[in-house]
Amino acid sequence: MTKRLLLLGLLAFGVACQKAPAPQPPATPAKPATATQAAQQAQAPAPQVKPVPEKLPATIARVNGEAIGKDEFERALRNLEARAGQPVPAEKRSEVYRGLLDQMIAYKLLLQQSKTLKVTITESEVDNRIKQIRETFPNEQAFTKALTDQRVTLEQLRNDQREQLLVAKVLDAEVNWKVNVTPKDVDDFYALSLIHISEPTRPY
């Protein structure tokens, strides 16, 4: 699943930028590595992830001028922790935070591409999506409690689902022919708006 999510992010970036790469000179064939060099490369430590500041700034990143704010990032983080069933471990903080931000940036690019393509979502489509989410709960009280626990209003949920539907249509239009993308992949790609009260499924 991780490779597929990475591919989604890379394709999202390519779809949004739509720029041809600059011509490159022919590459010089690399010399085959010796057994000693191969062993040294295999034992080389993984590159260090740049530490994330303890106090996050009000604006985490900008995607073509559109801000990803601290509140939006923290809401995505809460959902990620809910899906994992535990807070982000201290030793994984920088790695998880930067990975989540990469997904959010790729998602923003897809949303921006939906505007370029003039993709639209009807209120009926959003209503059906909300109905599907409601049906995963035993009753309306449980659904409302989940919203409260996640600190998400119904209007925020509707807006998030509208955005996910837009992204799904962009993927259908420009990405699915390159990779087999399922609705669950889209949800996993950016789980900001999904509400989960099931058992944890993805530990760090």
Side-chain angles (χ1 to χ4, degrees):
M1 180 62 71
T2 301
K3 290 182 179 179
R4 182 171 291 184
L5 295 183
L6 177 59
L7 182 56
L8 276 172
L10 292 173
L11 288 173
F13 183 80
V15 165
C17 291
Q18 291 185 327
K19 293 181 179 178
Q24 297 294 325
T28 303
K31 296 180 180 179
T34 65
T36 302
Q37 290 173 330
Q40 291 174 342
Q41 291 173 359
Q43 295 174 359
Q48 293 291 320
V49 178
K50 185 178 179 181
V52 172
E54 192 63 34
K55 184 176 181 180
L56 297 176
T59 298
I60 306 294
R62 289 189 179 277
V63 185
N64 295 327
E66 185 177 352
I68 294 178
K70 178 182 177 182
D71 291 346
E72 183 180 0
F73 180 84
E74 289 180 340
R75 187 153 68 100
L77 180 63
R78 286 196 301 270
N79 193 276
L80 181 67
E81 290 178 328
R83 291 163 66 85
Q86 62 179 335
V88 175
E91 68 276 11
K92 293 276 190 181
R93 182 176 182 270
S94 293
E95 178 184 347
V96 172
Y97 277 36
R98 292 197 179 280
L100 177 59
L101 180 59
D102 286 344
Q103 289 188 14
M104 295 179 74
I105 289 171
Y107 191 82
K108 288 286 187 186
L109 288 168
L110 286 167
L111 280 175
Q112 291 171 0
Q113 181 68 0
S114 74
K115 295 178 181 178
T116 301
L117 296 176
K118 296 182 172 31
V119 177
T120 59
I121 298 297
T122 66
E123 288 304 305
S124 177
E125 289 176 290
V126 178
D127 290 341
N128 287 336
R129 187 69 178 263
I130 298 299
K131 180 182 178 182
Q132 291 172 2
I133 294 175
R134 273 194 164 103
E135 289 174 348
T136 64
F137 293 86
N139 51 53
E140 185 66 18
Q141 288 74 18
F143 171 70
T144 302
K145 183 179 184 302
L147 285 174
T148 302
D149 291 345
Q150 297 267 330
R151 286 181 270 178
V152 175
T153 67
L154 182 57
E155 188 55 36
Q156 285 175 326
L157 179 63
R158 289 184 63 87
N159 184 62
D160 290 342
Q161 295 307 309
R162 182 179 292 105
E163 290 184 346
Q164 285 199 7
L165 288 167
L166 285 169
V167 166
K169 285 192 176 182
V170 172
L171 292 174
D172 283 340
E174 300 205 20
V175 177
N176 272 352
W177 65 275
K178 297 179 182 177
V179 59
N180 182 25
V181 179
T182 69
K184 185 178 184 302
D185 291 330
V186 178
D187 291 341
D188 286 339
F189 174 61
Y190 189 67
L192 175 63
S193 64
L194 297 184
I195 300 172
H196 296 272
I197 58 172
S198 57
E199 291 297 319
T201 56
R202 46 178 67 204
Y204 300 109

